[in-house]
Amino acid sequence: MPDLTSDLFSHASTQNIKAEMRQLAAEIERHNTLYHTQDAPEISDAEYDALFRKLQQLEEQHPELADKNSPTQKVGGQRQGAFGSGKHRAPMRSLGNAFAEEDVTDFLDRITSFLRLEKTPEIIIEPKIDGVSLSLTYQNGKLVRALTRGDGETGEDVTANVRTIANIPQQLRRGQFTSDGFPDDIEIRGEVYITQADFEKLNNAQAAAGDKVFANPRNAAAGSLRQLDTAITAARPLRFLAYSLPPVPSFTLLTETTVLLFLHEAGFETPAIEKAANRAELLGIHNSWKTQRYTRVPYAIDGLVYKVDDRTLQNRLGELARTPRWAIAHKFPPEQATTVLEGIDIQVGRSGKITPVAKLKPVHVGGVTVSNATLHNEDYIEQRDIRINDTVFIERAGDVIPKVVSVVLDKRPAGSKKFIFPHECPACRTRLMRLEGEADWRCPNVAACPAQRQAFLEHFVSRGALDIDGLGEKQLAEFVGLGWVRTAADIFRLGQHREQLQTLEGYGEKSVSNLLAAIEKAKNPTLPRFIIALGIPNVGEATANDLARHFKTWQAFSAALAQPDAAEVLTNIEGIGPVVAQSIISHASEPHTKALISDLMDAGIDIQASAVQPRRTGYFSDKTVVLTGSLSALSRDEAKARLLQQGARVTNSVTAKTDYLIVGAEPGSKLKQAVKLGVAVLEEDKFLEFLG
């Protein structure tokens, strides 16, 4: 006879367990929403972990009762809106790169000479993690904001997603450096990454589910960090490595070593470090890491970072337009592989430059799958005798740009023929031009070449330029084909085609409204973005920001370019040399550039004054200064850098427009010229007093 009592007891027990699991799941979901979405947690991390572990244990003991929608299967908060943006406290600079031993020697010599030291200052060495740069802002020890690097000045706000990364503390731990409390506002920087082992597991899971398979750990980390659904980010094995703390008033840490001790004490994972006192020690450490790059740390690295350990010396060294003087990345030798070059395409850039591109049998190089590689120019192909169907060595130079290095001649197929470089533009059939002394062929048909027009339009609307959401390669090509867009200014007249737009495939009333709203928003670009959008050769984000910082308004910038001394004005801006200055002036003087700018203004473009933070000001702000003779306290380079930081214009010759001549030991003829013209002369002690 069946034991009904036992069955009833078992059924009741099962119902109780199921009810407990439901209650736990609901409680965890509520705390997830409070923590990840509303930023208002009610319990500690330890209490949350206890609830989570209890539910996990019950599900493991009773898998038949587990709910596929359990929070143990999908961790994180609710779906967020589109990402906002925020300004960094200080620019997030890139590092300069060293690829050869000579580059390291140059780096050490530069800093030693700049600081007028007799020997190299102590250098701290960190592995250069190949992750996604992130800055974290803490107020009174509590995480309040997380920004991606973005353009170095402004980043995307990914705070909600960052809160799901397990090893990022929501509240900093106190220690010896913070016994009296945390600074009101600090910014901690580092890299979001995925370990090599977790990357393999993630890709296997993605492939099994029929989802995207990532090319490398860095791409996987970047894609995971920028998910609109925080639950997806939370489910990815993201981690954070902290290595930097920009200066904070009233919170002085004298060395990079101390910074890392503070970060570790506060609850962060930090990199393993070593120190060196000279070139030989640096290179020895680099060679050791190079042979162990895949086994020494669990994450992908592409080199080592060398930093001057003393932060007071860092402050003296300062920064260039794009990189700090006090740090450099010593990259590991790029990886190489061999594959078959199946064809050569000819691409036309927005400036008319003709670039041959190798179409390759896909090959895995430096952590990514490569199917295209640059061949640079006609000379590069001819000098290396590169032919279609050759087996070639592929290299990712600096682990970034794939290029064809050389040919494996022993594998060359019989009957191969040399590649004949075309001398007509593939897009408009205009005869190509190659100026004397230049390596590149160019299409001179700037105004009418469809390839140049398309490339320029794509650049104009890109994220780094005017950032018009909803306009990309496909849409622009379609609008050009319909005759609606001939120049960039026509983009701002697309509203005239609203009804026709709604008849196109993929466009409804809402999508058209969104597109036109994005275009309308782009009519008010900041000065740096507008300069970038113009596509001036040799002018990128850093230079555009330098120009905007100096001139502040479009009117001042364009007026300066029309003056006879435009080259001198430009080269006195830190980070801008003669080549870049001439490129800016030449571009501005082109008839098609003038016509485009006039057309853009007619279309309603209103360029906003620069939002870039101005450089520090001081006694020499807006003054023209000349240096002569040898200074005892500062090198010539440091004196010039300090003057530029105060907003001075440093020139090489004394004229009637010179405000001050700074005189060191053994001055030359500049002193006589200054006296003759009545220019104020400052000896070194007075100069240092005014310099502060």
Side-chain angles (χ1 to χ4, degrees):
M1 181 177 178
D3 188 348
L4 296 178
T5 303
S6 175
D7 287 347
L8 287 171
F9 181 83
S10 175
H11 178 73
S13 176
T14 298
Q15 290 299 312
N16 289 340
I17 292 169
K18 193 169 185 178
E20 184 178 9
M21 291 169 71
R22 285 176 178 169
Q23 182 181 355
L24 280 168
E27 184 72 358
I28 291 168
E29 289 284 17
R30 189 175 76 85
H31 286 299
N32 274 341
T33 300
L34 288 169
Y35 186 89
H36 295 297
T37 305
Q38 299 180 18
D39 192 24
E42 291 182 352
I43 60 175
S44 69
D45 289 348
E47 290 170 318
Y48 175 86
D49 290 341
L51 290 172
F52 198 88
R53 284 196 301 271
K54 187 173 183 179
L55 178 58
Q56 278 184 319
Q57 289 169 356
L58 286 172
E59 290 176 344
E60 289 169 0
Q61 294 166 3
H62 306 279
E64 73 283 0
L65 301 179
D67 187 342
K68 66 179 181 179
N69 295 317
S70 166
T72 63
Q73 305 302 311
K74 190 178 76 170
V75 182
Q78 311 240 334
R79 180 183 177 88
Q80 302 297 298
F83 296 110
S85 63
K87 294 278 293 181
H88 296 296
R89 284 170 54 95
M92 291 187 74
R93 302 293 192 198
S94 300
L95 290 177
N97 290 325
F99 297 104
E101 294 182 359
E102 293 78 12
D103 299 331
V104 177
T105 302
D106 289 345
F107 167 69
L108 297 178
D109 288 345
R110 283 197 305 271
I111 60 176
T112 305
S113 172
F114 189 99
L115 296 169
R116 286 185 174 272
L117 299 176
E118 294 182 1
K119 64 177 184 178
T120 303
E122 190 168 58
I123 303 296
I124 186 174
I125 302 146
E126 304 169 5
K128 185 179 181 299
I129 183 170
D130 193 14
V132 181
S133 296
L134 187 72
S135 73
L136 305 172
T137 298
Y138 287 82
Q139 292 179 351
N140 299 313
K142 181 181 179 182
L143 178 64
V144 296
R145 189 177 70 169
L147 298 176
T148 62
R149 181 183 182 278
D151 63 5
E153 301 281 348
T154 303
E156 286 186 316
D157 191 327
V158 290
T159 308
N161 286 349
V162 164
R163 290 193 186 282
T164 71
I165 299 177
N167 74 334
I168 291 182
Q170 307 299 311
Q171 178 72 44
L172 300 180
R173 291 199 306 248
R174 283 199 178 186
Q176 60 174 324
F177 299 101
T178 51
S179 57
D180 296 326
F182 293 99
D184 292 343
D185 193 351
I186 60 174
E187 183 177 358
I188 292 166
R189 294 175 177 177
E191 300 278 320
V192 174
Y193 72 94
I194 294 176
T195 67
Q196 298 279 19
D198 283 338
F199 173 69
E200 293 296 330
K201 293 177 184 176
L202 173 62
N203 257 359
N204 290 339
Q206 292 285 106
D211 293 329
K212 176 183 178 181
V213 176
F214 297 99
N216 54 55
R218 185 189 182 283
N219 284 356
S224 301
L225 187 63
R226 297 192 67 258
Q227 292 290 327
L228 291 178
D229 188 345
T230 60
I232 297 176
T233 304
R236 301 278 171 80
L238 296 176
R239 296 186 65 80
F240 180 73
L241 187 82
Y243 54 68
S244 177
L245 178 73
V248 181
S250 74
F251 187 64
T252 303
L253 298 175
L254 297 178
T255 65
E256 285 297 306
T257 304
T258 310
V259 167
L260 293 175
L261 288 173
F262 161 71
L263 292 174
H264 181 73
E265 178 184 85
F268 289 98
E269 178 185 351
T270 56
I273 63 169
E274 298 185 55
K275 292 186 178 182
N278 54 53
R279 173 184 181 276
E281 291 180 8
L282 278 180
L283 296 179
I285 293 169
H286 186 267
N287 287 333
S288 173
W289 275 89
K290 182 171 62 178
T291 59
Q292 303 173 51
R293 62 183 293 189
Y294 299 111
T295 58
R296 199 159 174 176
V297 289
Y299 43 80
I301 59 174
D302 56 2
L304 298 179
V305 175
Y306 305 151
K307 301 177 183 177
V308 173
D309 195 29
D310 188 323
R311 282 162 71 91
T312 301
L313 295 182
Q314 287 182 14
N315 188 50
R316 284 180 60 190
L317 286 161
E319 297 179 337
L320 298 171
R322 301 168 181 80
T323 60
R325 286 192 182 91
W326 47 266
I328 198 168
H330 189 182
K331 307 298 279 292
F332 292 133
E335 294 183 359
Q336 290 189 336
T338 58
T339 189
V340 176
L341 189 155
E342 297 179 328
I344 298 177
D345 284 355
I346 302 297
Q347 293 184 350
V348 186
R350 66 174 188 267
S351 64
K353 177 182 174 182
I354 305 298
T355 303
V357 177
K359 310 302 291 184
L360 306 168
K361 183 177 180 181
V363 62
H364 200 66
V365 185
V368 300
T369 299
V370 173
S371 57
N372 298 317
T374 182
L375 290 167
H376 297 292
N377 50 56
E378 181 183 28
D379 290 348
Y380 193 88
I381 296 172
E382 188 174 305
Q383 291 165 2
R384 291 161 180 76
D385 192 18
I386 298 170
R387 305 182 186 184
I388 294 173
N389 294 323
D390 271 343
T391 297
V392 294
F393 276 103
I394 301 300
E395 176 180 284
R396 293 188 68 220
D399 288 346
V400 176
I401 305 170
K403 67 177 181 180
V404 175
V405 179
S406 59
V407 176
V408 183
L409 292 175
D410 290 344
K411 294 187 177 182
R412 172 166 286 169
S416 67
K417 296 180 179 179
K418 285 184 175 291
F419 177 74
I420 306 301
F421 200 91
H423 291 155
E424 279 189 354
C425 175
C428 67
R429 299 304 170 191
T430 300
R431 185 76 177 172
L432 300 179
M433 295 177 58
R434 180 175 175 178
L435 299 178
E436 185 177 353
E438 286 195 1
D440 298 315
W441 287 92
R442 295 182 182 275
C443 171
N445 187 18
V446 178
C449 176
Q452 290 185 61
R453 176 175 57 192
Q454 178 71 19
F456 174 75
L457 290 172
E458 290 173 19
H459 166 78
F460 189 82
V461 304
S462 65
R463 285 186 64 193
L466 294 198
D467 191 19
I468 302 180
D469 192 28
L471 267 187
E473 177 183 354
K474 179 182 176 182
Q475 293 83 4
L476 287 168
E478 186 172 15
F479 297 156
V480 168
L482 289 167
W484 297 348
V485 173
R486 284 189 61 258
T487 72
D490 291 332
I491 290 170
F492 301 99
R493 302 185 181 104
L494 281 171
Q496 299 172 6
H497 305 282
R498 175 185 281 271
E499 293 184 5
Q500 295 148 294
L501 272 168
Q502 293 179 12
T503 66
L504 299 178
E505 184 178 353
Y507 286 90
E509 184 178 348
K510 184 176 180 180
S511 60
V512 169
S513 294
N514 289 340
L515 172 61
L516 295 180
I519 291 171
E520 189 66 25
K521 180 181 177 182
K523 283 185 176 180
N524 300 290
T526 62
L527 180 54
R529 282 191 176 274
F530 187 73
I531 292 173
I532 292 168
L534 291 177
I536 305 169
N538 301 313
V539 174
E541 292 178 6
T543 302
N545 278 305
D546 288 335
L547 291 167
R549 183 184 292 109
H550 182 84
F551 292 106
K552 298 182 177 61
T553 67
W554 170 256
Q555 290 78 8
F557 176 49
S558 56
L561 296 184
Q563 299 303 313
D565 65 344
E568 185 177 5
V569 170
L570 290 173
T571 53
N572 273 288
I573 299 172
E574 187 174 9
I576 297 179
V579 173
V580 175
Q582 188 55 52
S583 184
I584 295 168
I585 294 168
S586 297
H587 185 271
S589 65
E590 291 285 347
H592 69 271
T593 301
K594 294 178 179 178
L596 173 62
I597 292 171
S598 176
D599 201 12
L600 285 168
M601 300 307 172
D602 289 344
I605 289 288
D606 182 14
I607 305 163
Q608 305 302 299
S610 173
V612 179
Q613 293 297 315
R615 295 190 188 280
R616 287 184 290 173
T617 57
Y619 183 85
F620 295 101
S621 177
D622 297 323
K623 304 296 184 184
T624 300
V625 181
V626 177
L627 296 161
T628 185
S630 176
L631 301 175
S632 60
L634 304 173
S635 68
R636 179 69 65 89
D637 286 342
E638 184 172 3
K640 181 177 179 180
R642 295 283 295 277
L643 285 164
L644 290 170
Q645 285 175 349
Q646 288 201 2
R649 297 173 71 244
V650 183
T651 62
N652 293 322
S653 57
V654 177
T655 70
K657 293 183 178 180
T658 303
D659 293 295
Y660 293 104
L661 176 70
I662 310 302
V663 177
E666 301 181 6
S669 60
K670 294 176 183 177
L671 178 56
K672 293 180 180 179
Q673 182 71 2
V675 173
K676 180 180 177 181
L677 295 173
V679 172
V681 176
L682 295 179
E683 294 187 356
E684 183 172 1
D685 57 348
K686 204 65 177 176
F687 166 59
L688 294 175
E689 179 185 333
F690 290 155
L691 199 60

